[in-house]
Amino acid sequence: MISCRRSYLHVDSASDLPRLETQHQAKAHIKKYITCTILAFFAAIAVSSAAPDKDAIMAKEKAAWQAFKDKNAADFKKVVDKDFRGVYAEGISDMEKELSDMKKWDMKSFTISDYTAFSDEKDVMVATYTVKVEGTFEGKDASGTYNAGSVWKMEKGTWMAIFHTNVKQEAAAK
């Protein structure tokens, strides 16, 4: 009986020496390379899907502003952590003070623009943006454009704001 097995010349990467291998051995190497390539592909997908999503954070930011505008403490607490801290021209704030100040605002509208977000960690996101606000605080006009920033942290599978600051832009000198 005549055998029709094919042999291939293969260079062993460990020794850089050529050696003959059967078709079966060559297929095993190809399968190994394909498997490694597929695993690398799925690992890249997993890493990219675990990365924070700028659009998701922006939606949370808008939800926090909307809840504040609507004076809806329950919705506000859904997106702002109980241990939240804020820094404003008036002073330092925590959740209790934010909820108290919420009652003193009569916010007619807000518009977020120039939104950027970045992350060096999969569970923390930093956002900066400008927000144009129309409204009053304790009966005094507080309308204007504010430079704002927030820090968001993934807590038990949900993004929560843990820090926020905003400062009103000064009028341009004439």
Side-chain angles (χ1 to χ4, degrees):
M1 195 172 232
I2 299 174
S3 173
C4 292
R5 268 198 178 170
R6 293 185 181 164
S7 296
Y8 298 92
L9 185 61
H10 174 78
V11 177
D12 186 4
S13 61
S15 66
D16 287 334
L17 295 175
R19 65 180 170 83
L20 286 176
E21 60 181 34
T22 66
Q23 187 176 6
H24 176 73
Q25 290 170 320
K27 284 182 180 179
H29 282 295
I30 291 171
K31 284 181 184 177
K32 179 179 164 183
Y33 292 130
I34 290 172
T35 300
C36 288
T37 302
I38 290 171
L39 286 174
F41 174 73
F42 283 117
I45 289 173
V47 168
S48 67
S49 67
D53 179 4
K54 174 186 166 186
D55 293 335
I57 295 299
M58 186 173 178
K60 291 278 189 171
E61 196 86 52
K62 286 181 179 179
W65 277 92
Q66 190 65 49
F68 194 90
K69 176 186 174 287
D70 295 343
K71 301 180 182 186
N72 188 330
D75 283 352
F76 191 73
K77 289 178 181 180
K78 289 178 185 175
V79 292
V80 179
D81 191 75
K82 64 182 174 32
D83 297 319
F84 165 87
R85 294 296 181 268
V87 176
Y88 309 104
E90 310 81 47
I92 307 239
S93 185
D94 59 9
M95 178 61 85
E96 183 179 335
K97 181 153 177 21
E98 285 291 305
L99 295 177
S100 173
D101 287 351
M102 180 188 291
K103 296 173 187 172
K104 299 172 187 175
W105 266 94
D106 182 19
M107 194 179 298
K108 302 293 183 205
S109 67
F110 69 91
T111 305
I112 293 174
S113 62
D114 302 323
Y115 194 88
T116 62
F118 74 93
S119 177
D120 287 337
E121 303 293 329
K122 66 179 180 178
D123 63 343
V124 176
M125 199 78 165
V126 177
T128 59
Y129 55 96
T130 56
V131 60
K132 185 176 180 181
V133 174
E134 290 186 36
T136 60
F137 179 72
E138 293 184 326
K140 297 177 187 165
D141 186 28
S143 300
T145 301
Y146 293 77
N147 296 320
S150 299
V151 177
W152 293 83
K153 179 154 180 47
M154 179 66 77
E155 303 238 344
K156 299 177 185 167
T158 302
W159 287 104
M160 301 294 287
I162 59 172
F163 178 81
H164 180 77
T165 187
N166 61 57
V167 62
K168 193 172 186 180
Q169 292 180 357
E170 293 184 14
K174 294 183 180 185

